[in-house]
């Protein structure tokens, strides 16, 4: 469970990134956050694992305040939160397997991870994660030899090997073609349904949001303007979120 308790983010120049966001994301939800560029989607997502610090309010992860957490407690809370980036965030010159094993860093000492002394259990977890995203034959391939879609699948596998209970995905398909987009989104949905991992995903395209989400959160100028099931996310609601008529809009297609 993720509880956002009246959280706000004001940048040093006075720009309001988030304005009193108050909502709860339940375990097993597949939430898609939508809104125009600059609406606060990435700020909200990255605040959940404290990649961004909020100005006011509090964020509770499974009963623990990540806002107040420090040191080892913060590390343990973050260990349950996987992150998937638009740019994949892989170490390009090393193997897929080593990239996935980096998801295990929080479970071991710094020295052990620097030396690459991974327990057999960790290697098995990494290989199982790679199998789940459908590219088990790529374990010893360098990350920079993969296609964009394959690299994003490695990012997903890394979060699985981390044994994350929550996966945050910041525009995970923005740089992918339509076919690969659906393959990656299918992976995320299957993981959500089969493993019960909570998904919070920023997306650009409305049709993809409607197809994959169980719930949609809409942001406009840092404020929460819609929060409800997909069935209630009508064209009229999306028009309110985006501040313009979205019928026949490019946001409806990919």
């Amino acid at each position: 469970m993720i509880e956002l308790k009246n959280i706000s983010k004001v940048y040093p120049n006075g720009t309001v990134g988030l304005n009193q966001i108050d909502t709860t994301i339940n375990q097993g939800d597949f939430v898609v956050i939508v809104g125009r560029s600059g609406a606060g989607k990435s700020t909200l997502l990255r605040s959940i694992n404290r990649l961004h610090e909020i100005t006011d309010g509090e964020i509770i992860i499974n009963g623990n305040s990540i806002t107040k957490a420090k040191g080892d407690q913060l590390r343990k809370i973050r260990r349950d939160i996987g992150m998937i980036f638009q740019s994949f965030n892989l170490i390009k010159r090393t193997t897929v397997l080593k990239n996935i094993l980096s998801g295990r860093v929080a479970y071991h000492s710094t020295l052990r991870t620097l030396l690459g002394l991974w327990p057999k259990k960790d290697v098995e977890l990494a290989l199982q994660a790679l199998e789940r995203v459908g590219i088990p034959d790529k374990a010893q391939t360098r990350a920079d030899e993969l296609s964009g879609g394959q690299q994003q699948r490695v990012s997903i596998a890394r979060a699985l090997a981390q044994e994350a209970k929550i996966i945050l995905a910041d525009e995970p398909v923005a740089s992918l073609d339509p076919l690969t987009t659906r393959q990656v989104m299918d992976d995320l949905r299957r993981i959500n349904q089969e493993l019960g991992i909570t998904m919070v995903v920023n997306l650009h395209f409305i049709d993809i949001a409607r197809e994959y989400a169980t719930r949609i959160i809409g942001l406009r100028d840092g404020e929460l303007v819609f929060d409800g099931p997909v069935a209630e996310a009508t064209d009229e609601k999306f028009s309110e979120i985006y501040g313009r008529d979205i019928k026949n809009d490019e946001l409806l297609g990919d």
Side-chain angles (χ1 to χ4, degrees):
M1 181 182 290
I2 305 167
E3 299 173 76
L4 308 174
K5 297 187 172 184
N6 292 310
I7 68 168
S8 295
K9 169 70 175 180
V10 180
Y11 290 96
N13 64 2
T15 300
V16 177
L18 299 172
N19 186 18
Q20 295 188 320
I21 304 294
D22 191 273
T23 191
T24 297
I25 296 171
N26 296 311
Q27 181 179 345
D29 278 354
F30 195 123
V31 175
V32 171
I33 304 172
V34 298
R36 299 179 70 171
S37 296
K41 302 190 300 297
S42 290
T43 302
L44 177 59
L45 196 78
R46 291 164 183 250
S47 295
I48 292 173
N49 64 354
R50 270 184 68 181
L51 284 180
H52 285 175
E53 297 284 356
I54 57 175
T55 308
D56 293 297
E58 188 174 18
I59 300 173
I60 308 293
I61 308 291
N62 294 325
N64 298 302
S65 174
I66 192 170
T67 310
K68 298 177 181 178
K70 297 179 181 178
D72 192 53
Q73 184 188 20
L74 177 59
R75 185 174 67 91
K76 287 181 178 178
I77 296 173
R78 280 178 165 166
R79 195 166 66 185
D80 288 338
I81 306 172
M83 187 80 188
I84 297 171
F85 299 88
Q86 177 181 340
S87 59
F88 318 132
N89 207 33
L90 302 178
I91 304 170
K92 298 297 180 69
R93 292 179 176 271
T94 194
T95 65
V96 164
L97 181 60
K98 288 180 179 178
N99 270 283
I100 297 172
L101 283 167
S102 69
R104 303 295 301 167
V105 165
Y107 292 90
H108 303 293
S109 68
T110 301
L111 179 60
R112 184 165 194 165
T113 58
L114 285 174
L115 294 175
L117 300 174
W118 302 104
K120 182 179 178 182
K121 175 194 171 186
D122 286 13
V123 176
E124 289 174 350
L125 277 172
L127 293 174
Q128 289 168 8
L130 202 54
E131 181 83 36
R132 188 171 283 278
V133 298
I135 49 172
D137 57 319
K138 301 297 184 182
Q140 298 303 326
T141 303
R142 275 182 28 157
D144 58 5
E145 295 175 358
L146 301 179
S147 68
Q150 289 172 333
Q151 289 187 55
Q152 197 59 287
R153 286 176 159 186
V154 173
S155 299
I156 296 169
R158 180 177 55 198
L160 290 176
Q162 183 181 329
E163 298 183 292
K165 297 178 176 64
I166 298 164
I167 291 179
L168 310 176
D170 195 5
E171 298 283 2
V173 295
S175 60
L176 304 179
D177 62 71
L179 176 60
T180 309
T181 288
R182 294 192 179 276
Q183 290 172 339
V184 168
M185 292 302 299
D186 284 347
D187 284 338
L188 293 176
R189 178 164 60 186
R190 187 175 64 255
I191 289 164
N192 167 255
Q193 293 175 346
E194 293 179 358
L195 301 180
I197 295 174
T198 305
M199 295 284 174
V200 187
V201 184
N202 287 347
L203 286 180
H204 178 64
F205 294 113
I206 290 171
D207 63 336
I208 301 295
R210 281 175 167 159
E211 182 175 349
Y212 290 92
T214 59
R215 174 177 164 196
I216 289 176
I217 288 175
L219 297 182
R220 184 176 178 185
D221 298 329
E223 296 189 356
L224 192 154
V225 294
F226 179 82
D227 185 359
V230 175
E232 296 178 9
T234 61
D235 285 354
E236 289 72 24
K237 291 293 183 183
F238 274 112
S239 294
E240 291 177 20
I241 295 167
Y242 284 91
R244 64 174 186 269
D245 188 354
I246 57 88
K247 290 181 181 178
N248 300 317
D249 193 287
E250 72 275 8
L251 291 168
L252 286 171
D254 57 0

